[in-house]
Amino acid sequence: MAFISSGYNPDKPMEDRITDIGPRHYSEFLPPVIKNNKGKWLWHEILEPGVLMHKAESGDEVYTVRCGSPRLMGTETLREALEIADKHCDGYLRFTTRNNIEFMVDSKDKVQPLKDDLQSRKHEGGSYKFPVGGTGAGLTNIVHTQGWIHCHTPASDASGTVKVVMDELFEEFQQMRFPAQLRISMACCLNMCGAVHCSDIAILGYHRKPPIIDHKEVENLCEIPLAVAACPTAAIRPAKTTITDDRTGEEKTVKTVAIKNERCMFCGNCYTMCPALPLTDAEGDGLVIMAGGKVSNRISEPKFSKVVVAFIPNETPRWPSLAKCMRQLVDAYVKGAKKYERFGDWAERIGWERFFEVTGLEFTHHLIDDFRDPAYYTWRQTTNFKF
């Protein structure tokens, strides 16, 4: 069939556009001072914790006040943030990749009134709604995943554990007294949509038991080939078993699956395909602490995180063991690291044996990383290329 043009001009995609389908151009959301100086910035500096200044070739200045926010945000909080933006920033704000809200003004005179407004807004319990900080050599906002609020495969909560850790370390979010920036992240299962594999300190929800098979419901709720194909380690296979019918009391043979437990990596992919394979377990689920990762090329190449605590139980609602462990890690790092030294660089300089001594963490056989993929020896392992 021949293509009949509707008059669409690929060289001018917005010409005669009559719908709002698709995203609007990002430039519409830039504050005028940023839009006018795009690509023409000379330098920037951090004036104080949470406050940055960018200088343009034209002489224009942009002052940014950064404040932390919960990743999972209610409409009331968002409306309040928009109210602040309308009041101080001509309606403009932005979110960073670590879930901070940044309010931008074009004059230094507007910074203090904006800060005072942010600091005056508190929850009924007295905590800040929009705490200012998260810049420079300090604790950045914690990125995290869905947890028990939205996700169906978590081994722990995300919002709860992050709240506990930030309560323990909150003063560091508002300061810049660390050797270097410290990035903490949290993923509630090892599918890791929280990118904890490359953070200074990472909290990872961890399942320790394979799925439970509800044989009576597998055939009714699941497409068995999908459940089999979803397993990354080929631990699931089709099977048949005999069950007793709840209504008649008679025995009957049903189609189901079988799981080879020693192959299971507890990822929960099968549960995504088949609700009759629940993975959650009160005793088996908990947390793993990883440390030493980073994305930055600065000083040394990027690093993956390493497991430093094999298991912490889910001690809801305040996770005291988690809070204690995080405090031990941070205090040891601040005491022992050199200026500009990231967490992993510090650990590698003193050696991982010494690391466990100074942090007070127990070393077990679960922490020995002996995995080496064949590509490990042939791929370039860093973006610090040498020519």
Side-chain angles (χ1 to χ4, degrees), residues 21-284:
I21 296 173
R24 296 166 66 178
H25 197 270
Y26 71 88
S27 63
E28 296 181 42
F29 304 98
L30 296 177
V33 64
I34 292 181
K35 187 174 183 179
N36 296 336
N37 295 283
K38 186 175 184 298
K40 300 178 182 178
W41 300 102
L42 291 175
W43 50 274
H44 74 277
E45 61 179 326
I46 302 174
L47 302 180
E48 59 183 90
V51 180
L52 305 95
M53 189 276 286
H54 289 74
K55 187 79 170 183
E57 294 175 0
S58 63
D60 291 343
E61 295 176 344
V62 175
Y63 293 86
T64 302
V65 179
R66 177 181 296 176
C67 56
S69 81
R71 179 183 181 275
L72 303 176
M73 183 182 295
T75 54
E76 296 87 352
T77 305
L78 181 57
R79 289 182 186 277
E80 194 164 352
L82 297 176
E83 174 195 327
I84 296 169
D86 286 337
K87 182 178 178 181
H88 298 277
C89 314
D90 299 322
Y92 293 96
L93 58 76
R94 69 182 291 267
F95 285 85
T96 72
T97 56
R98 298 194 74 83
N99 309 317
N100 298 293
I101 304 177
E102 290 189 345
F103 299 95
M104 295 156 289
V105 294
D106 55 9
S107 170
K108 191 174 184 178
D109 297 335
K110 300 178 182 179
V111 172
Q112 194 58 47
L114 172 58
K115 279 188 61 182
D116 293 341
D117 191 359
L118 291 168
Q119 301 284 43
S120 69
R121 298 174 186 257
K122 297 184 178 181
H123 294 288
E124 291 183 4
S127 60
Y128 292 108
K129 290 183 177 180
F130 303 100
V132 176
T135 55
L139 177 64
T140 61
N141 202 10
I142 300 179
V143 293
H144 65 87
T145 53
Q146 312 293 331
W148 289 331
I149 293 180
H150 285 309
C151 189
H152 64 282
T153 59
S156 184
D157 191 27
S159 300
T161 54
V162 168
K163 167 66 174 170
V164 166
V165 173
M166 283 303 286
D167 282 351
E168 179 70 29
L169 303 173
F170 176 70
E171 70 278 6
E172 305 300 348
F173 179 79
Q174 296 187 305
Q175 302 291 333
M176 297 191 298
R177 56 191 180 193
F178 282 176
Q181 64 180 1
L182 186 71
R183 296 188 181 278
I184 300 177
S185 61
M186 196 284 165
C188 43
C189 79
L190 53 70
N191 288 319
M192 251 194 283
C193 54
V196 299
H197 58 285
C198 52
S199 297
D200 291 297
I201 304 176
I203 308 162
L204 174 64
Y206 185 55
H207 297 287
R208 297 189 299 173
K209 296 184 179 180
I212 300 168
I213 307 174
D214 187 348
H215 293 292
K216 294 180 180 180
E217 298 296 342
V218 169
E219 192 173 19
N220 299 323
L221 295 177
C222 312
E223 292 188 32
I224 292 176
L226 286 181
V228 172
C231 182
T233 61
I236 303 176
R237 60 179 174 82
K240 291 184 179 181
T241 190
T242 301
I243 65 170
T244 302
D245 191 290
D246 292 333
R247 291 177 298 177
T248 65
E250 298 178 355
E251 290 190 347
K252 63 178 182 179
T253 300
V254 295
K255 294 178 181 178
T256 182
V257 297
I259 297 176
K260 185 176 286 189
N261 290 349
E262 61 269 24
R263 294 184 71 98
C264 180
M265 60 180 281
F266 322 121
C267 67
N269 281 1
C270 55
Y271 180 61
T272 303
M273 295 292 121
C274 180
L277 298 174
L279 189 65
T280 303
D281 182 85
E283 294 182 357

Side-chain angles (χ1 to χ4, degrees), residues 67 70 108 114 156 187 269 271 282 303 309 321 325 369 372 380:
C67 56
K108 191 174 184 178
L114 172 58
S156 184
N269 281 1
Y271 180 61
K303 296 176 172 63
V309 178
S321 298
C325 180
D369 179 12
R372 285 295 182 268
R380 290 195 174 195

